[in-house]
Amino acid sequence: MTAPHAAGGLVPGRSCGACTACCRVLEIKALDKPAGILCRHNTGRACGIYAERPEACVQWHCLWRRIGALPDALRPDRSGVVFALERRSPASAPDLEAPEGACIVGRALDGEQAFARWEAVEAFAMFVREGSLPVWKAHDRHATLMHPGPQAPESQVSVAASEGEDPA
């Protein structure tokens, strides 16, 4: 999986179904919705303004929708982890030398215990093996750099983090 491939189309036959994890993790400026807070338009099973949702919502898809190698069990509402291609790292510590630019972030929805599930462990391992982008684990307000990407020195760093970001 390379960044251009991940940014491409959706996996045929996969749909969000009842998953609404993105309604919580993303910051949606058009709705004045901060990251980490459930969107006021979420009905519990779907988007109440789906036909009129902001462009940021229309364009955004988690990596489970984009990468066929990720198992069905890794759909965010099943696994408790949302994997996404993000424009910047989740690190907010000003003294951290985090890799700049695109990265893969796995965000736990309800605490870091979700990272222990086999699906999440295997997905992180796959992204690290692929190696073309930095890979982060994020939960609550913390982030851990799992893989720095191809040009940064190998290390694992834990920092305070910002929640999801506006994808647009």
Side-chain angles (χ1 to χ4, degrees), residues 2-3 7 29 48-49 58 60 64 67 69 83 112 129 149 151:
T2 62
K29 292 179 182 175
I49 60 166
V58 171
W60 193 88
W64 178 82
I67 301 174
F83 284 93
E112 67 180 315
R129 274 191 311 272
Q151 301 193 0

Side-chain angles (χ1 to χ4, degrees), residues 42-122:
N42 182 291
T43 67
R45 300 212 31 93
C47 175
I49 60 166
Y50 188 81
E52 297 85 31
R53 68 196 188 280
E55 190 63 22
C57 299
V58 171
Q59 296 297 320
W60 193 88
H61 294 94
C62 71
L63 291 182
W64 178 82
R65 292 284 317 273
R66 294 184 180 276
I67 301 174
L70 297 177
D72 286 340
L74 201 61
R75 191 173 89 176
D77 63 330
R78 296 175 183 149
S79 68
V81 179
V82 177
F83 284 93
L85 181 62
E86 297 191 7
R87 293 180 185 178
R88 59 184 165 87
S89 81
S92 62
D95 58 336
L96 177 70
E97 292 186 29
E100 291 294 323
C103 59
I104 294 170
V105 179
R107 291 186 186 282
L109 297 173
D110 294 311
E112 67 180 315
Q113 70 277 4
F115 294 140
R117 292 183 54 144
W118 73 266
E119 304 93 334
V121 170
E122 289 299 316

